[in-house]
Amino acid sequence: MSRRFVVGLTAVAITATAIPAAADRAGSAFPSAAFPLGGTGTTLKTQRAIAPGVSLFSVTHGKPTQGWTVSLLMPNGHDNGTLATAQAKAAEAEAAGFTPSVLKIVQPAAADAPAVERYMVRIGLWTLKQRAEADKLVKELKEAGIRAKADYLGDDGDQTTGPWAMRVVMVDPKVFRGSYRTSVGVSVAKRETTSSISKKTKAIAGVNGGFFNIHTAKALQGDPVGVSVVGGRLLSEGVPGRSGLVITGRKARITELRTLVTALSSDGARIEVKGVNRAAGAEDLVLYTEEFGAKTAADGGAEIVVDAQGRIVRARAAGGVVPRGHYVLHGTGTMAEWLYEHAWETWTMRISTRVIDLRTGRAIPLTPETYVMGGGVGLLRNGRVRISAAADGHASVNMMLRRHPRTLVGVDRSGGLILVTVDGRNPGVSVGASMVEAAQIMRWLGAKQAINFDGGGSSAMVVRHKVVNRPSDGRERTVGDALFITP
């Protein structure tokens, strides 16, 4: 068949812009400085009080000036690769009768990861209203045996005019008399919407929380990827060195954390427990609390059921419920053998759980007022940009450079909490933010400490249990946990 030739894009480097100084403001007030992204233009802002000391702002800035292109997929399914891989893909497209261009992109440097050069292959350029033309070319490429996708240029990390649509909740600690808390909803294992969890906590406002485990059994996907403490109880182990939000009452701070869980038998044997409320692997020892909300796996391992006084009330084959007021210690492989040897019925098994602040080296007191949410990416530290992409598992082109919906949390110099959702994946309406741009936004809003939580289709802000942003899935996604402002 005949193929239509299209004009290739000019090869330019996509890089991140420099981050300006923080907005100069006092207390927990909205900044008067210009919006930090997209150049000059009018920033529209509305404000309403939702509780004493708690305000909701709706912010829009910029206008759409970008359109569509087509990106070729590399052999690994990604849209970027090495120069040699990109050149080979471009040659393949050219041999099939198309006119490709090779584009260099730069994954920005993080505090713990260097900048990385990558390359893309693109064909064509159309206006915002010509999405159908890009889709048509994708179909033609598929017929030629070349995988590709339509790409909106506003999703790139290059310069853009936006637009942006954001929701911001600011808490004035001098006026607000409530508290902050996190919640996993009805259980750790089950995913729920942020609005559903909000109703259970009777919250004033809130946002979705950290990343959750989509790579486990469907019934367990609510498991937070990172530390979770709710009301002083450790419900998920931490990934050592990852950033987290630590809350005590209405005080919040962001730091790097690790957890340490140990089991001590009445015969003096001590062992480290590797996981909390997650699926067990081979040669694994996992603690299940009553908040788990699912049966433990019948995986051939061994378990003990322990009451609130630390007495082993039952030793059993793996697989069963966690009784209310009890916990279960589950072992596989050599860890099952350890339980057979050191965990007999009527003996005791003491569990020690510690969450350690790696900045101070001290354990965080786990009181009923203590809440910890992990699984995020650090953005600001002491008012300076410090993106901990590698330690937090997000040193990639997709997470660092590309624009996505974002959920951001910060603490300003007066101790006020700042909650932000940046809508995205909505061409012509809101482009989202890269990780670097997320840091810019939080610095502009006056945050001295800031963290990036789960974004994409998970990004949701609720006020009085109703979603006030525009989730990119078209509806609210179920998530693992959420952060709330409560009366």
Side-chain angles (χ1 to χ4, degrees):
M1 77 177 215
S2 62
R3 295 190 178 87
R4 175 173 48 84
F5 284 78
V6 291
V7 178
L9 293 173
T10 303
V12 295
I14 298 176
T15 57
T17 55
I19 298 179
D24 183 17
R25 66 179 181 85
S28 299
F30 201 86
S32 58
F35 190 76
L37 308 178
T40 59
T42 302
T43 301
L44 301 178
K45 170 178 69 82
T46 62
Q47 174 183 0
R48 69 182 174 100
I50 55 179
V54 185
S55 296
L56 169 67
F57 299 88
S58 297
V59 182
T60 58
H61 180 86
K63 59 182 180 180
T65 58
Q66 292 167 301
W68 296 89
T69 187
V70 168
S71 298
L72 275 56
L73 300 182
M74 305 297 165
N76 62 3
H78 296 164
D79 61 8
N80 64 88
T82 64
L83 177 58
T85 302
Q87 287 174 332
K89 181 57 65 173
E92 180 185 351
E94 190 170 12
F98 299 94
T99 307
S101 292
V102 175
L103 175 74
K104 183 177 78 171
I105 62 175
V106 181
Q107 174 187 315
D112 54 1
V116 179
E117 289 187 359
R118 304 288 284 175
Y119 295 84
M120 302 181 70
V121 181
R122 283 178 161 172
I123 303 175
L125 186 62
W126 298 272
T127 68
L128 179 62
K129 296 180 179 180
Q130 293 177 312
R131 166 70 187 267
E133 294 298 316
D135 289 338
K136 182 179 179 181
L137 179 61
V138 170
K139 184 177 180 181
E140 292 180 9
L141 286 160
K142 182 179 180 180
E143 291 171 351
I146 300 171
R147 293 186 300 163
K149 63 175 181 171
D151 256 348
Y152 175 58
L153 290 170
D155 292 340
D156 287 346
D158 197 7
Q159 296 288 341
T160 185
T161 58
W164 290 270
M166 298 168 40
R167 300 295 182 271
V168 180
V169 167
M170 286 186 164
V171 180
D172 184 346
K174 296 180 181 178
V175 179
F176 179 60
R177 290 297 176 263
S179 61
Y180 313 137
R181 62 168 296 172
T182 65
S183 176
V184 296
V186 296
S187 71
V188 175
K190 183 181 178 181
R191 286 167 54 180
E192 295 183 63
T193 61
T194 304
S195 60
S196 172
I197 305 174
S198 176
K199 290 176 184 177
K200 293 179 176 68
T201 59
K202 299 179 172 57
I204 297 168
V207 292
N208 66 287
F211 295 85
F212 48 90
N213 189 2
I214 62 173
H215 302 296
T216 189
K218 187 175 181 179
L220 307 181
Q221 288 184 356
D223 174 31
V225 180
V227 60
S228 174
V229 174
V230 175
R233 290 176 60 83
L234 181 67
L235 303 185
S236 178
E237 79 278 10
V239 178
R242 285 195 178 178
S243 304
L245 177 71
V246 180
I247 294 168
T248 306
R250 59 175 172 268
K251 294 182 179 179
R253 60 191 176 90
I254 294 164
T255 187
E256 294 74 47
L257 303 162
R258 73 177 179 95
T259 54
L260 180 61
V261 182
T262 55
L264 176 63
S265 171
S266 54
D267 69 356
R270 183 188 301 269
I271 197 166
E272 183 177 353
V273 179
K274 297 295 185 179
V276 180
N277 291 329
R278 62 160 172 78
E283 311 294 329
D284 207 357
L285 188 62
V286 177
L287 172 70
Y288 293 101
T289 70
E290 62 182 286
E291 293 89 351
F292 179 53
K295 287 186 176 181
T296 62
D299 55 10
E303 292 180 345
I304 56 169
V305 181
V306 185
D307 67 16
Q309 288 71 46
R311 185 172 62 92
I312 301 172
V313 298
R314 186 182 175 191
R316 68 188 189 190
V321 299
V322 183
R324 185 177 297 275
H326 295 68
Y327 67 81
V328 168
L329 204 56
H330 176 109
T332 60
T334 56
M335 294 298 98
E337 295 297 327
W338 189 90
L339 290 176
Y340 289 136
E341 184 175 352
H342 301 290
W344 290 27
E345 288 183 6
T346 74
W347 288 19
T348 61
M349 185 67 68
R350 304 293 182 183
I351 300 293
S352 169
T353 59
R354 301 177 71 203
V355 179
I356 300 167
D357 183 335
L358 294 180
R359 295 188 189 180
T360 65
R362 297 177 181 176
I364 296 169
L366 299 183
T367 72
E369 283 195 312
T370 303
Y371 296 84
V372 181
M373 178 175 283
V377 179
L379 297 175
L380 302 178
R381 179 172 177 175
N382 299 327
R384 297 180 179 274
V385 175
R386 191 181 187 283
I387 301 174
S388 52
D392 293 318
H394 293 281
S396 67
V397 167
N398 185 51
M399 292 302 296
M400 284 290 292
L401 181 62
R402 296 296 173 81
R403 295 186 177 97
H404 299 284
R406 300 282 178 180
T407 295
L408 314 171
V409 175
V411 181
D412 68 18
R413 66 184 180 187
S414 67
L417 192 67
I418 305 170
L419 310 182
V420 180
T421 53
V422 185
D423 287 344
R425 298 178 185 168
N426 194 354
V429 178
S430 188
V431 296
S434 69
M435 200 73 78
V436 174
E437 289 170 339
Q440 286 181 278
I441 289 169
M442 294 308 288
R443 207 170 180 205
W444 172 65
L445 289 170
K448 297 301 178 184
Q449 315 286 332
I451 191 169
N452 175 96
F453 281 129
D454 191 12
S458 298
S459 281
M461 178 180 285
V462 297
V463 173
R464 303 293 181 185
H465 323 313
K466 295 190 179 298
V467 180
V468 296
N469 71 315
R470 186 171 180 174
S472 64
D473 286 353
R475 63 184 183 277
E476 195 180 359
R477 180 183 289 180
T478 55
V479 296
D481 58 3
L483 166 67
F484 297 106
I485 301 166
T486 54

